[in-house]
Amino acid sequence: MKKITITFFLVLVCSVILSAQQDSLHIYQIKYEKSITLTGSSRPFKSDYEYTKFIELEKSIFSKVTKTPNTNTSEMSEDDDAIFFYTSSGKNTNTVYKDYNENSFFAKHQLTSRYFLVKEDLDVFDWEISDTTKDILGYSCQLATTKYRGRTFKAWFTSDLPIGGPYKYDGLPGMILEIESTDGFIKFEAYGIKNSAVVQGENEIENPFKSKDAYSWEDFSALYKKKALELINYRPSENALGTTISRCAIECYIKEDDKEYNEAIASQQKKISRYKN
């Protein structure tokens, strides 16, 4: 009887431990500062984001946050005993959701006054990795470069952290802690890292876009170009000129060598010159 009691107790303890493990998630939370510097501007526009990678689930959320006072920190805490919730806000216009098991991610893109959801594959980047290294937040990081939709990027990643990165950027054998375009337009720089074991909440792993219809990048780019041409050619009156929207934001939606778009722009410029003269 005593042996049976001890055996039952051990089984009970193991069950409790296993249940606790199943109810918790191992996550990395990395805070990034995003900087955008417009052409002709000397002062960048800055905002703060947080990337959360759920290790066991191979999913992540990247979203805009309010900056905390603690900067340039790296925290390692295996047993935070905290509950992590992700609650979608508004239109999720500043959110990127990645599912590494399905090799996909979701993000919204603005076209005039509307936002459109776009679903893409995670392996859209063609990286070249060099032997150049530098230290970021105590991690040894390696340099990689890529050309991506109109811009060339330099990224610093560390293989000491799980695969991932800010915004869409991904696909290197480690976490991207810093990335910037060589033209100085866009930059993401990590300033805080936290490693935690957290209790599962109800909504922390939900795809905030799962109930929405998503465009492919090709279909959205075609829609963007169509709308751009409509605005260029729109003339509410005889002397009115159409409106031009940029072919690029962080990414270029219309290629530099697009003949139809370039001809429309050239035609508009001729009309503007005639009106000035």
Side-chain angles (χ1 to χ4, degrees):
M1 176 65 77
K2 186 175 182 180
K3 289 183 178 180
I4 294 175
T5 302
I6 293 174
T7 302
F8 176 76
F9 177 75
L10 290 174
V11 170
L12 180 62
V13 170
C14 290
S15 298
V16 171
I17 292 173
L18 180 61
S19 177
Q21 290 175 342
Q22 291 175 341
D23 289 338
S24 64
L25 294 173
H26 181 206
I27 66 172
Y28 276 89
Q29 291 172 291
I30 304 177
K31 295 183 184 298
Y32 291 90
E33 181 180 75
K34 172 187 175 184
S35 300
I36 289 183
T37 305
L38 302 178
T39 303
S41 175
S42 59
R43 178 177 294 181
F45 295 90
K46 296 184 177 183
S47 52
D48 292 272
Y49 287 76
E50 186 169 79
Y51 171 87
T52 302
K53 176 72 178 283
F54 301 88
I55 305 303
E56 292 85 359
L57 303 173
E58 288 293 325
K59 296 178 181 180
S60 70
I61 287 285
F62 179 77
S63 192
K64 193 172 184 179
V65 296
T66 302
K67 190 170 184 178
T68 60
N70 297 323
T71 60
N72 298 321
T73 59
S74 177
E75 301 179 25
M76 305 299 288
S77 176
E78 295 292 342
D79 298 299
D80 269 11
D81 194 24
I83 298 179
F84 182 92
F85 290 92
Y86 174 74
T87 303
S88 59
S89 58
K91 297 180 179 180
N92 291 301
T93 54
N94 293 296
T95 299
V96 177
Y97 173 83
K98 298 178 182 178
D99 189 323
Y100 293 84
N101 287 323
E102 295 186 0
N103 187 40
S104 64
F105 68 85
F106 296 79
K108 283 194 172 183
H109 293 263
Q110 186 175 10
L111 175 53
T112 60
S113 59
R114 293 181 60 192
Y115 285 88
F116 295 82
L117 179 64
V118 178
K119 179 182 179 182
E120 301 183 64
D121 291 339
L122 276 168
D123 56 2
V124 293
F125 299 95
D126 184 16
W127 294 102
E128 291 186 13
I129 300 175
S130 78
D131 294 328
T132 305
T133 62
K134 76 171 183 178
D135 182 272
I136 299 176
L137 297 177
Y139 291 93
S140 177
C141 296
Q142 199 167 348
L143 177 65
T145 58
T146 189
K147 291 183 178 180
Y148 179 65
R149 293 177 181 164
R151 288 191 170 89
T152 300
F153 289 88
K154 297 191 304 180
W156 296 92
F157 73 96
T158 175
S159 57
D160 294 330
L161 294 173
I163 293 173
Y167 187 55
K168 294 183 176 183
Y169 311 116
D170 221 296
L172 284 165
M175 185 68 67
I176 299 171
L177 295 184
E178 184 179 311
I179 183 167
E180 63 180 319
S181 59
T182 56
D183 61 1
F185 178 76
I186 179 74
K187 181 177 182 178
F188 287 94
E189 186 174 9
Y191 65 84
I193 302 174
K194 187 175 183 180
N195 177 12
S196 307
V198 298
V199 178
Q200 290 192 48
E202 295 179 356
N203 302 311
E204 80 278 19
I205 60 173
E206 291 295 323
N207 179 353
F209 307 115
K210 69 176 183 178
S211 62
K212 305 291 185 180
D213 293 328
Y215 284 79
S216 67
W217 175 259
E218 292 73 20
D219 287 345
F220 178 72
S221 296
L223 177 65
Y224 191 98
K225 175 184 169 180
K226 178 182 177 182
K227 187 63 176 180
L229 290 173
E230 288 176 355
L231 290 172
I232 290 173
N233 296 319
Y234 177 65
R235 299 180 65 187
S237 63
E238 184 178 351
N239 295 326
L241 293 172
T243 302
T244 302
I245 60 176
S246 175
R247 71 170 79 210
C248 297
I250 296 178
E251 302 150 78
C252 287
Y253 303 108
I254 303 173
K255 295 180 179 179
E256 289 291 334
D257 60 354
D258 189 285
K259 183 178 180 181
E260 185 179 13
Y261 181 81
N262 290 339
E263 287 178 350
I265 290 293
S267 176
Q268 185 188 50
Q269 291 301 320
K270 287 180 181 179
K271 292 176 183 177
I272 292 174
S273 296
R274 286 202 302 267
Y275 286 135
K276 286 183 177 179
N277 296 330

